[in-house]
Amino acid sequence: MSNQIQDYNPSSVGEKNGNLLGLPFDYESANLIVIPVPWEVTVSYGAGTANGPQQILDASTQLDLFDFDHPDGWKQGIFMIQIPQDMLDKNKYYRAEAAKIIERLVEGKQLTDTPDLIPVLTEINQACQQVNQWLFTQSQAAINNGKRVAVIGGDHSSPLGYFQALAAKYSNFGILHIDAHADLRDAYEGFEFSHASIMFNGLKIPQISKLVQVGVRDICHDEVQIINQSNNRIVAYYDAAIKQKLYSGTTWIDICREIISHLPESVYISFDVDGLDPKLCPSTGTPVPGGLELEQTFCLFRELVNSGRKIIGFDLCEVGDAEWDGNVGARIVYKLANLLDLSQIK
């Protein structure tokens, strides 16, 4: 790896070499392996996030590499594996099948009406499970090879297999969850691995001891009940409550430190871009007015690192199929990669 660093000029033009940021690393030489999961079969509003990994990859080469938090962060070695075309193809097919189910439900009809869609639902759930298994295998192989891992979705169902791989390595970790939604639905619309069910499914993993949610502002009664009855395993910082505190004079730094105080030593960051103000991610699948500014989230992550906690992995999901969304997404991925590295060496 030393030769690659020695011969590489981080101030030069970003080379379109198929890797994130045009960096000169490959799977062997990189410390951070980024796994794209172009999957959005169960999205219930806007589509396009399956193309999020490609948009991020395309935008990433025009980023400047100096990072004020970690100027030499790029030297850790970052490599994104090839976007799996077969997954994109399957996503297109199953997305069309899922649309039939969603359409039937919103019309107030039963899936058992003619034609019976129950077999279609079963097939979709099996296809989603296969994606989870693929990601688990990819993540575990990288971890066993001494690598760190990050995931780029797709919709927010994408990282479940990575959660499971981390659970095989860590006996106890927390999730810091940035999102407009709580994602605590039980098999939303019948889809066991719905984008709206990622945290419900994640909490079935006993090693995930804490879920701290930030920016939530679109939530159903059942999810509020799950949070309230979780014996503090889930702590929610609703967007409206955050804003009320800020408007009354509480500083964001103080709120960040309070948020972080709930988290254990090892922390995974799960970042749905719809947690941000939609001006930053207008093409995301389920945009909601309100939300966080980008620098607010980076401030929160910095405070996480400053607290001495370790970031053990991250995902970025729901980046839309648009150039601007890819631009913002690429910046989030690079910042998280650098803060992850910084937290490991501090």
Coordinates of all heavy atoms in Angstrom, one line a residue, residues 45-106:
Y45 N -43.0 4.6 -1.7 CA -43.3 6.0 -2.3 C -42.5 6.2 -3.5 O -42.8 5.7 -4.6 CB -43.1 7.0 -1.2 CG -43.6 8.4 -1.5 CD1 -44.9 8.6 -2.0 CD2 -42.8 9.5 -1.3 CE1 -45.4 9.9 -2.2 CE2 -43.2 10.8 -1.6 CZ -44.5 11.0 -2.1 OH -45.0 12.2 -2.4
G46 N -41.4 7.0 -3.4 CA -40.6 7.2 -4.6 C -39.5 6.1 -4.8 O -39.0 5.6 -3.9
A47 N -39.2 5.9 -6.1 CA -38.2 4.9 -6.4 C -36.9 5.6 -6.9 O -36.9 6.8 -7.1 CB -38.7 3.9 -7.5
G48 N -35.8 4.8 -7.1 CA -34.6 5.4 -7.6 C -33.4 5.1 -6.7 O -32.3 5.3 -7.2
T49 N -33.6 4.7 -5.5 CA -32.5 4.6 -4.6 C -31.6 3.4 -4.9 O -30.5 3.3 -4.4 CB -32.9 4.5 -3.1 OG1 -33.8 3.4 -2.9 CG2 -33.7 5.8 -2.7
A50 N -32.1 2.5 -5.7 CA -31.2 1.4 -6.1 C -30.0 1.9 -7.0 O -29.0 1.3 -7.0 CB -32.0 0.4 -7.0
N51 N -30.2 3.1 -7.6 CA -29.1 3.7 -8.3 C -28.3 4.6 -7.5 O -27.4 5.3 -8.0 CB -29.7 4.5 -9.5 CG -30.3 3.5 -10.5 OD1 -29.8 2.4 -10.8 ND2 -31.5 3.9 -11.1
G52 N -28.6 4.7 -6.2 CA -27.8 5.5 -5.2 C -26.3 5.2 -5.3 O -25.5 6.1 -5.3
P53 N -25.9 3.9 -5.2 CA -24.4 3.6 -5.2 C -23.7 4.1 -6.5 O -22.6 4.7 -6.4 CB -24.4 2.1 -5.2 CG -25.7 1.7 -4.5 CD -26.7 2.7 -4.9
Q54 N -24.4 4.0 -7.6 CA -23.8 4.5 -8.9 C -23.7 6.1 -8.9 O -22.7 6.6 -9.3 CB -24.6 4.1 -10.1 CG -24.0 4.4 -11.4 CD -22.7 3.6 -11.6 OE1 -22.6 2.4 -11.6 NE2 -21.6 4.3 -11.9
Q55 N -24.7 6.7 -8.4 CA -24.7 8.2 -8.3 C -23.6 8.7 -7.4 O -22.9 9.6 -7.7 CB -26.1 8.7 -7.8 CG -27.2 8.6 -8.8 CD -27.1 9.6 -10.0 OE1 -26.2 10.4 -10.0 NE2 -27.9 9.4 -11.0
I56 N -23.4 8.0 -6.2 CA -22.4 8.3 -5.3 C -21.0 8.1 -5.9 O -20.1 9.0 -5.8 CB -22.5 7.5 -4.0 CG1 -23.7 8.1 -3.2 CG2 -21.3 7.6 -3.1 CD1 -24.1 7.2 -2.0
L57 N -20.8 7.0 -6.6 CA -19.6 6.7 -7.2 C -19.2 7.7 -8.3 O -18.1 8.2 -8.4 CB -19.6 5.3 -7.9 CG -18.4 4.8 -8.7 CD1 -17.2 4.7 -7.8 CD2 -18.7 3.5 -9.4
D58 N -20.2 8.1 -9.1 CA -20.0 9.0 -10.2 C -19.7 10.4 -9.7 O -18.8 11.1 -10.2 CB -21.3 9.2 -11.1 CG -21.5 7.9 -11.9 OD1 -20.6 7.1 -12.0 OD2 -22.7 7.8 -12.4
A59 N -20.3 10.8 -8.6 CA -20.1 12.2 -8.0 C -18.8 12.2 -7.2 O -18.2 13.3 -7.1 CB -21.2 12.6 -7.1
S60 N -18.3 11.1 -6.7 CA -17.2 11.1 -5.7 C -15.9 11.6 -6.3 O -15.1 12.2 -5.6 CB -17.0 9.7 -5.2 OG -16.5 8.8 -6.1
T61 N -15.7 11.4 -7.6 CA -14.4 11.8 -8.2 C -14.2 13.3 -8.3 O -13.0 13.8 -8.5 CB -14.2 11.2 -9.6 OG1 -15.3 11.5 -10.4 CG2 -14.0 9.7 -9.5
Q62 N -15.2 14.1 -8.1 CA -15.0 15.5 -8.1 C -14.9 16.2 -6.7 O -14.8 17.4 -6.6 CB -16.1 16.2 -9.0 CG -17.6 16.0 -8.5 CD -18.0 17.1 -7.5 OE1 -17.6 18.2 -7.6 NE2 -18.8 16.6 -6.5
L63 N -14.9 15.3 -5.7 CA -14.6 15.8 -4.3 C -13.2 16.1 -4.1 O -12.3 15.4 -4.6 CB -15.1 14.8 -3.3 CG -16.5 14.9 -2.8 CD1 -17.5 14.7 -3.9 CD2 -16.7 13.8 -1.7
D64 N -12.9 17.2 -3.4 CA -11.5 17.4 -2.9 C -11.3 16.6 -1.7 O -12.2 16.4 -0.9 CB -11.3 18.9 -2.6 CG -11.1 19.7 -3.8 OD1 -10.4 19.3 -4.8 OD2 -11.7 20.8 -3.9
L65 N -10.1 16.0 -1.5 CA -9.8 15.0 -0.5 C -9.3 15.6 0.9 O -9.3 14.8 1.8 CB -8.8 14.0 -1.0 CG -9.2 13.2 -2.2 CD1 -8.1 12.2 -2.7 CD2 -10.5 12.4 -1.9
F66 N -9.0 16.9 0.9 CA -8.6 17.4 2.2 C -9.9 17.4 3.2 O -10.9 18.0 2.8 CB -8.0 18.8 2.1 CG -7.5 19.3 3.4 CD1 -6.2 19.1 3.8 CD2 -8.3 20.0 4.3 CE1 -5.6 19.5 5.0 CE2 -7.8 20.4 5.6 CZ -6.5 20.2 5.9
D67 N -9.7 16.8 4.3 CA -10.8 16.7 5.3 C -10.3 17.4 6.6 O -9.3 16.9 7.2 CB -11.2 15.2 5.6 CG -12.3 15.1 6.5 OD1 -12.6 16.1 7.3 OD2 -12.9 14.0 6.6
F68 N -11.0 18.4 7.0 CA -10.5 19.1 8.2 C -10.4 18.2 9.5 O -9.7 18.5 10.4 CB -11.4 20.4 8.5 CG -11.1 21.5 7.5 CD1 -11.9 21.6 6.3 CD2 -10.1 22.4 7.7 CE1 -11.7 22.6 5.4 CE2 -9.9 23.4 6.8 CZ -10.6 23.5 5.7
D69 N -11.3 17.2 9.5 CA -11.2 16.3 10.7 C -10.1 15.3 10.6 O -9.6 14.9 11.6 CB -12.6 15.6 10.8 CG -13.7 16.5 11.1 OD1 -13.7 17.1 12.2 OD2 -14.7 16.5 10.4
H70 N -9.7 14.9 9.4 CA -8.7 13.9 9.2 C -8.1 14.1 7.9 O -8.4 13.4 6.9 CB -9.4 12.5 9.3 CG -8.5 11.4 9.5 ND1 -7.2 11.5 9.8 CD2 -8.8 10.0 9.3 CE1 -6.7 10.2 9.9 NE2 -7.6 9.4 9.6
P71 N -7.1 15.1 7.8 CA -6.5 15.4 6.5 C -5.9 14.2 5.7 O -6.0 14.2 4.5 CB -5.4 16.4 6.9 CG -5.9 17.0 8.1 CD -6.6 15.9 8.9
D72 N -5.4 13.2 6.4 CA -4.8 12.1 5.8 C -5.7 10.9 5.8 O -5.3 9.8 5.6 CB -3.5 11.7 6.4 CG -2.4 12.8 6.1 OD1 -2.5 13.4 5.1 OD2 -1.5 12.9 7.0
G73 N -7.0 11.1 5.9 CA -8.0 10.0 6.1 C -8.0 9.1 4.8 O -8.2 7.9 5.0
W74 N -7.7 9.7 3.7 CA -7.7 8.9 2.4 C -6.7 7.8 2.5 O -6.8 6.8 1.8 CB -7.6 9.8 1.2 CG -6.2 10.4 1.1 CD1 -5.8 11.6 1.7 CD2 -5.0 9.9 0.5 NE1 -4.5 11.9 1.4 CE2 -4.0 10.9 0.7 CE3 -4.8 8.8 -0.3 CZ2 -2.7 10.7 0.2 CZ3 -3.5 8.6 -0.8 CH2 -2.5 9.5 -0.6
K75 N -5.6 8.0 3.2 CA -4.5 7.1 3.3 C -4.9 5.7 3.9 O -4.2 4.7 3.8 CB -3.3 7.7 4.0 CG -2.6 8.8 3.3 CD -1.4 9.3 4.1 CE -0.7 10.4 3.3 NZ 0.5 10.9 4.1
Q76 N -6.0 5.7 4.6 CA -6.5 4.4 5.2 C -6.7 3.4 4.2 O -6.6 2.2 4.4 CB -7.7 4.6 6.0 CG -9.0 5.0 5.2 CD -10.2 5.2 6.1 OE1 -10.8 4.3 6.6 NE2 -10.6 6.5 6.2
G77 N -7.0 3.8 2.9 CA -7.3 2.9 1.9 C -8.8 2.6 1.8 O -9.4 2.0 2.7
I78 N -9.5 3.2 0.8 CA -11.0 3.0 0.7 C -11.2 2.4 -0.7 O -10.7 2.8 -1.7 CB -11.7 4.3 0.8 CG1 -11.4 5.0 2.1 CG2 -13.2 4.1 0.6 CD1 -11.9 6.5 2.2
F79 N -12.0 1.3 -0.7 CA -12.3 0.6 -2.0 C -13.7 0.1 -2.0 O -14.2 -0.5 -1.1 CB -11.3 -0.6 -2.2 CG -11.6 -1.4 -3.4 CD1 -11.3 -0.9 -4.7 CD2 -12.3 -2.6 -3.4 CE1 -11.6 -1.6 -5.8 CE2 -12.6 -3.3 -4.5 CZ -12.2 -2.8 -5.8
M80 N -14.4 0.5 -3.1 CA -15.8 0.0 -3.3 C -15.8 -1.1 -4.3 O -15.3 -1.0 -5.4 CB -16.7 1.1 -3.7 CG -18.2 0.7 -3.8 SD -19.3 2.1 -4.1 CE -19.6 2.0 -5.8
I81 N -16.4 -2.3 -3.9 CA -16.5 -3.4 -4.8 C -17.5 -3.1 -5.9 O -18.3 -2.1 -5.8 CB -16.9 -4.7 -4.0 CG1 -18.3 -4.6 -3.5 CG2 -15.9 -5.0 -2.9 CD1 -18.8 -6.0 -3.0
Q82 N -17.4 -3.8 -6.9 CA -18.2 -3.5 -8.1 C -19.7 -3.7 -7.8 O -20.1 -4.6 -7.0 CB -17.9 -4.5 -9.2 CG -18.5 -4.2 -10.6 CD -17.9 -5.0 -11.7 OE1 -17.1 -5.9 -11.5 NE2 -18.2 -4.6 -12.9
I83 N -20.5 -2.8 -8.3 CA -22.0 -2.8 -8.1 C -22.5 -4.1 -8.8 O -22.3 -4.2 -10.0 CB -22.6 -1.5 -8.7 CG1 -22.1 -0.3 -7.9 CG2 -24.2 -1.6 -8.6 CD1 -22.5 1.0 -8.6
P84 N -23.1 -5.0 -8.0 CA -23.6 -6.2 -8.6 C -24.8 -6.0 -9.6 O -25.9 -5.7 -9.2 CB -24.0 -7.1 -7.4 CG -24.2 -6.1 -6.3 CD -23.4 -4.9 -6.6
Q85 N -24.5 -6.3 -10.9 CA -25.5 -6.0 -11.9 C -26.6 -7.0 -11.8 O -27.8 -6.7 -12.0 CB -24.9 -6.2 -13.3 CG -25.8 -5.9 -14.5 CD -26.4 -4.5 -14.5 OE1 -25.7 -3.5 -14.2 NE2 -27.7 -4.4 -14.6
D86 N -26.3 -8.3 -11.3 CA -27.4 -9.2 -11.2 C -28.4 -8.8 -10.1 O -29.6 -9.1 -10.3 CB -26.9 -10.6 -10.9 CG -26.1 -10.7 -9.6 OD1 -25.5 -9.7 -9.2 OD2 -26.1 -11.8 -9.0
M87 N -27.9 -8.1 -9.1 CA -28.8 -7.6 -8.0 C -29.7 -6.5 -8.6 O -30.9 -6.4 -8.3 CB -28.0 -7.1 -6.8 CG -28.9 -6.8 -5.6 SD -28.0 -6.2 -4.2 CE -27.0 -7.7 -3.8
L88 N -29.1 -5.6 -9.4 CA -29.9 -4.6 -10.0 C -31.0 -5.1 -10.9 O -32.1 -4.7 -10.9 CB -29.0 -3.7 -10.9 CG -28.4 -2.4 -10.2 CD1 -27.3 -1.8 -11.1 CD2 -29.5 -1.4 -9.9
D89 N -30.7 -6.2 -11.6 CA -31.7 -6.8 -12.5 C -32.8 -7.5 -11.7 O -34.0 -7.3 -12.0 CB -31.0 -7.9 -13.4 CG -30.0 -7.3 -14.4 OD1 -30.1 -6.1 -14.7 OD2 -29.1 -8.1 -14.9
K90 N -32.4 -8.2 -10.6 CA -33.4 -8.8 -9.8 C -34.3 -7.7 -9.1 O -35.5 -7.9 -8.9 CB -32.8 -9.7 -8.7 CG -32.2 -11.0 -9.3 CD -31.6 -11.8 -8.2 CE -31.0 -13.1 -8.8 NZ -30.2 -13.8 -7.8
N91 N -33.6 -6.6 -8.7 CA -34.3 -5.5 -8.1 C -35.4 -5.0 -9.0 O -36.6 -4.7 -8.6 CB -33.4 -4.4 -7.7 CG -34.1 -3.2 -7.2 OD1 -34.5 -3.1 -6.1 ND2 -34.2 -2.2 -8.1
K92 N -35.1 -4.8 -10.3 CA -36.1 -4.3 -11.2 C -37.3 -5.2 -11.3 O -38.4 -4.8 -11.3 CB -35.4 -4.1 -12.6 CG -36.3 -3.4 -13.6 CD -35.5 -3.2 -14.9 CE -36.4 -2.6 -16.0 NZ -35.7 -2.4 -17.3
Y93 N -37.0 -6.5 -11.4 CA -38.1 -7.5 -11.5 C -39.0 -7.5 -10.3 O -40.2 -7.4 -10.4 CB -37.5 -8.9 -11.8 CG -38.6 -10.0 -11.7 CD1 -39.5 -10.2 -12.7 CD2 -38.6 -10.8 -10.6 CE1 -40.4 -11.2 -12.6 CE2 -39.6 -11.8 -10.5 CZ -40.5 -12.0 -11.5 OH -41.5 -12.9 -11.4
Y94 N -38.3 -7.6 -9.1 CA -39.1 -7.8 -7.9 C -39.8 -6.5 -7.5 O -40.8 -6.5 -6.8 CB -38.2 -8.3 -6.8 CG -38.0 -9.8 -6.9 CD1 -36.7 -10.3 -7.2 CD2 -39.0 -10.7 -6.8 CE1 -36.5 -11.6 -7.4 CE2 -38.8 -12.1 -7.0 CZ -37.5 -12.5 -7.3 OH -37.3 -13.9 -7.4
R95 N -39.2 -5.4 -7.9 CA -39.8 -4.1 -7.6 C -41.2 -4.0 -8.3 O -42.2 -3.5 -7.7 CB -38.9 -2.9 -8.1 CG -39.5 -1.5 -8.0 CD -39.4 -1.0 -6.6 NE -40.4 0.1 -6.4 CZ -41.5 0.1 -5.8 NH1 -41.9 -1.1 -5.3 NH2 -42.3 1.1 -5.7
A96 N -41.2 -4.4 -9.5 CA -42.5 -4.4 -10.3 C -43.5 -5.4 -9.6 O -44.7 -5.1 -9.6 CB -42.2 -4.9 -11.7
E97 N -43.0 -6.5 -9.1 CA -43.9 -7.5 -8.4 C -44.4 -6.9 -7.1 O -45.6 -7.0 -6.8 CB -43.2 -8.8 -8.2 CG -42.8 -9.6 -9.4 CD -44.0 -10.0 -10.2 OE1 -44.7 -10.9 -9.7 OE2 -44.2 -9.5 -11.3
A98 N -43.6 -6.2 -6.4 CA -44.0 -5.6 -5.1 C -45.0 -4.5 -5.4 O -45.9 -4.3 -4.5 CB -42.8 -5.0 -4.4
A99 N -44.9 -3.8 -6.5 CA -45.8 -2.7 -6.8 C -47.3 -3.2 -6.9 O -48.2 -2.6 -6.5 CB -45.4 -2.0 -8.1
K100 N -47.4 -4.5 -7.4 CA -48.7 -5.1 -7.5 C -49.3 -5.3 -6.1 O -50.5 -5.0 -5.9 CB -48.7 -6.4 -8.2 CG -48.1 -6.4 -9.6 CD -47.9 -7.8 -10.1 CE -47.3 -7.8 -11.5 NZ -47.0 -9.2 -12.0
I101 N -48.5 -5.7 -5.1 CA -49.0 -5.9 -3.8 C -49.3 -4.6 -3.1 O -50.4 -4.5 -2.5 CB -47.9 -6.6 -2.9 CG1 -47.7 -8.1 -3.5 CG2 -48.2 -6.6 -1.4 CD1 -46.6 -8.8 -2.9
I102 N -48.5 -3.6 -3.3 CA -48.7 -2.3 -2.6 C -50.0 -1.7 -3.2 O -50.8 -1.1 -2.5 CB -47.5 -1.3 -2.9 CG1 -46.3 -1.9 -2.1 CG2 -47.8 0.1 -2.4 CD1 -45.0 -1.2 -2.4
E103 N -50.2 -1.8 -4.5 CA -51.4 -1.2 -5.2 C -52.6 -1.9 -4.6 O -53.6 -1.3 -4.4 CB -51.3 -1.5 -6.7 CG -52.4 -0.8 -7.5 CD -52.2 -1.0 -9.0 OE1 -51.2 -1.5 -9.4 OE2 -53.2 -0.6 -9.7
R104 N -52.6 -3.2 -4.5 CA -53.7 -4.0 -3.9 C -54.1 -3.5 -2.5 O -55.2 -3.3 -2.2 CB -53.4 -5.5 -3.9 CG -54.5 -6.4 -3.4 CD -55.6 -6.7 -4.4 NE -55.1 -7.4 -5.6 CZ -55.0 -8.7 -5.7 NH1 -55.3 -9.5 -4.7 NH2 -54.6 -9.2 -6.9
L105 N -53.0 -3.3 -1.7 CA -53.3 -2.9 -0.3 C -53.8 -1.5 -0.2 O -54.7 -1.3 0.6 CB -51.9 -3.0 0.5 CG -51.4 -4.4 0.7 CD1 -50.0 -4.3 1.3 CD2 -52.3 -5.2 1.6
V106 N -53.3 -0.6 -1.0 CA -53.8 0.8 -0.9 C -55.2 0.9 -1.4 O -55.9 1.9 -1.1 CB -52.9 1.8 -1.6 CG1 -51.5 1.8 -1.0 CG2 -52.8 1.6 -3.1

